[in-house]
Amino acid sequence: MSNVTPHMHPPLFTPWIIDTTLRDGEQAPGVAFSPSEKKDIARKLAATGVDELEIGYPAISSEEQSVIREIVSMNLPVRLTSWSRATRADLECARAADTEGIHLSFPLSELYLNLMEKDYAWVHRQLETLIPEAKKYFSFVSVGGQDATRTNGKTLETFVRDASACGADRVRIADTVGIATPLTLIQQIQHLKSSASVALEFHAHNDLGMATANAFSAIEAGCDAVSVSVTGLGERAGNAALEELAVALKLSGQYPISIKAELLHSLCETVAKASNRLIQDQKPVIGNAVFQHESGIHCNALLKDPLSYQPFLPGDIGKESYELVIGKHSGSASVQHILSTRGINVDREQARKLLPNVRLAADKKKCRLSAAELVNIYTQCFVNPQDTCKR
């Protein structure tokens, strides 16, 4: 992947990337994947190089258990885990789904415990009961603290230690309502890493627009794993986006990961179609506007070096090319370039003479001009001059 100014640091460690599109992503309001869509998404996620897939919540229904078993039978080269509440009944449903791993989710903040009419003593008892039970049936057991970022620091530290003592293989720190900020999170992760030896995972939500930044910051603090979803699909404002985090990690030059970035665009389109949610033009990494340029200064530089105003190239994520847009802020270089694609060659001075009319047309239209509209302006000015051509 192209990068003009990589961080000049040696690689630190390889973060473990967990995708939860098929579980937390599908919990987004109005989203329901068909069994065939779930299997297709799982197959493409595995091909993209994700390390682990959280593929569903078996306790929802027997149909959910069935499709999870179907995904398990595909023998994908990734760890597959089921999500479960901290109850024996949910554990039994996950056992029936036959995944390699299980994630047991515990309410942890005072707010969440009060909602469930529980206390930390109950959490501790469930840890002591459920983790050894889960270890009988699953080769990997993860436990998570819901609303961990709004949990008292002492309680969170105790939870991580207790989960480790009971045999958990990994503990998830869930920013359930997306209120974490990078610096505070880094301090929190570093403290937890120093107080317990168990592997840590960070699970971000995007309510304040910081999910990807928080996921990256958690890794910088030494967090062993992070969970993400394709396009950031998830409840409310969504989760940390797989494609955003993957590209950020690759461009950093510090963290070797197995993600095949050139497959990200196709993967995102698959999930967007299955979820019936359009990818917004300004969506980082994969949105159409990411590789569209109008400013004359930018376009002039891009024609000389495409990395001048892009952090990476479209081909790096499987898109075809960047696009120069003709509009109010276009310069002569863009006009020359677009006209040349239509077989019309003009010099810089001729292109400059077209700019006033280009800007008037764009102002009136209040959006970009098509190549055909630009050709029409050229024709009016140089082939069939009219009074409307401001020369």
Side-chain angles (χ1 to χ4, degrees):
M1 175 166 283
S2 306
N3 186 13
V4 178
T5 55
H7 294 288
M8 302 306 292
H9 301 294
L12 300 178
F13 68 100
T14 302
W16 186 262
I17 307 299
I18 306 160
D19 185 273
T20 186
T21 303
L22 297 176
R23 198 278 299 176
D24 208 344
E26 196 186 25
Q27 287 177 199
V31 174
F33 299 135
S34 69
S36 62
E37 287 170 337
K38 278 201 165 190
K39 288 184 283 187
D40 187 36
I41 291 169
R43 187 181 298 108
K44 289 185 176 181
L45 281 165
T48 303
V50 172
D51 299 299
E52 181 177 335
L53 304 184
E54 191 173 62
I55 56 175
Y57 175 25
I60 288 179
S61 66
S62 59
E63 289 79 14
E64 182 80 351
Q65 291 176 33
S66 177
V67 70
I68 290 173
R69 285 194 297 270
E70 289 180 32
I71 294 173
V72 170
S73 71
M74 293 163 64
N75 295 314
L76 299 172
V78 294
R79 179 188 293 154
L80 302 179
T81 58
S82 296
W83 189 92
S84 171
R85 293 172 298 180
T87 67
R88 186 178 293 275
D90 273 21
L91 192 156
E92 288 298 324
C93 289
R95 178 186 173 190
D98 203 29
T99 53
E100 174 187 349
I102 187 173
H103 177 77
L104 298 166
S105 185
F106 291 78
L108 197 57
S109 68
E110 184 178 0
L111 172 60
Y112 279 32
L113 287 171
N114 287 340
L115 287 171
M116 294 188 64
E117 299 181 347
K118 306 293 185 183
D119 57 18
Y120 188 78
W122 173 86
V123 171
H124 191 207
R125 289 194 300 272
Q126 293 298 95
L127 287 169
E128 290 181 318
T129 301
L130 294 177
I131 293 177
E133 186 72 13
K135 299 285 277 189
K136 296 177 184 178
Y137 311 114
F138 300 91
S139 63
F140 189 88
V141 177
S142 167
V143 302
Q146 292 182 39
D147 207 23
T149 50
R150 291 195 298 188
T151 297
N152 175 276
K154 290 290 185 183
T155 301
L156 180 57
E157 183 177 346
T158 299
F159 175 75
V160 172
R161 287 178 174 173
D162 288 346
S164 178
C166 291
D169 296 297
R170 187 176 65 217
V171 178
R172 172 180 292 178
I173 309 303
D175 185 25
T176 304
V177 293
I179 52 86
T181 55
L183 182 56
T184 300
L185 181 65
I186 286 173
Q187 295 169 343
Q188 186 177 52
I189 295 295
Q190 288 176 336
H191 176 73
L192 292 172
K193 288 287 290 183
S194 67
S195 62
S197 58
V198 68
L200 294 181
E201 170 201 344
F202 179 67
H203 177 87
H205 277 268
N206 202 39
D207 296 77
L208 301 183
M210 288 187 274
T212 300
N214 283 333
F216 190 95
S217 297
I219 290 171
E220 287 193 307
C223 199
D224 305 272
V226 291
S227 53
V228 295
S229 66
V230 180
T231 73
L233 183 67
E235 297 173 335
R236 303 181 314 278
N239 297 68
L242 166 64
E243 65 280 1
E244 294 173 17
L245 182 65
V247 171
L249 289 171
K250 284 181 177 288
L251 290 183
S252 76
Q254 299 183 74
Y255 303 99
I257 59 172
S258 58
I259 302 296
K260 298 178 179 65
E262 67 274 12
L263 300 180
L264 288 171
H265 180 240
S266 175
L267 173 63
C268 290
E269 286 194 323
T270 296
V271 171
K273 181 179 180 182
S275 60
N276 198 28
R277 292 196 171 191
L278 296 175
I279 297 173
Q280 297 298 314
D281 283 349
Q282 286 188 288
K283 172 71 174 65
V285 176
I286 57 165
N288 287 333
V290 173
F291 299 109
Q292 291 177 340
H293 307 273
E294 180 181 322
S295 167
I297 295 172
H298 290 203
C299 293
N300 188 37
L302 283 161
L303 288 168
K304 297 173 182 176
D305 187 336
L307 283 173
S308 58
Y309 281 97
Q310 297 178 143
F312 57 94
L313 300 179
D316 292 336
I317 62 161
K319 297 193 80 167
E320 290 186 1
S321 179
Y322 68 86
E323 179 185 7
L324 301 188
V325 172
I326 297 299
K328 178 180 178 178
H329 306 96
S330 292
S332 55
S334 299
V335 169
Q336 286 181 287
H337 176 76
I338 298 299
L339 287 176
S340 71
T341 66
R342 292 301 184 99
I344 301 171
N345 295 311
V346 297
D347 59 30
R348 183 60 58 89
E349 184 58 32
Q350 289 174 309
R352 285 197 184 103
K353 289 179 179 179
L354 293 175
L355 289 178
N357 286 69
V358 166
R359 289 164 182 160
L360 281 173
D363 261 336
K364 184 177 180 179
K365 190 178 179 184
K366 294 187 73 64
C367 66
R368 61 188 291 177
L369 302 181
S370 67
E373 288 171 316
L374 179 60
V375 170
N376 185 52
I377 291 172
Y378 163 80
T379 301
Q380 290 177 350
C381 288
F382 293 112
V383 180
N384 300 310
Q386 300 177 8
D387 292 339
T388 55
C389 185
K390 293 186 176 295
R391 301 177 63 186

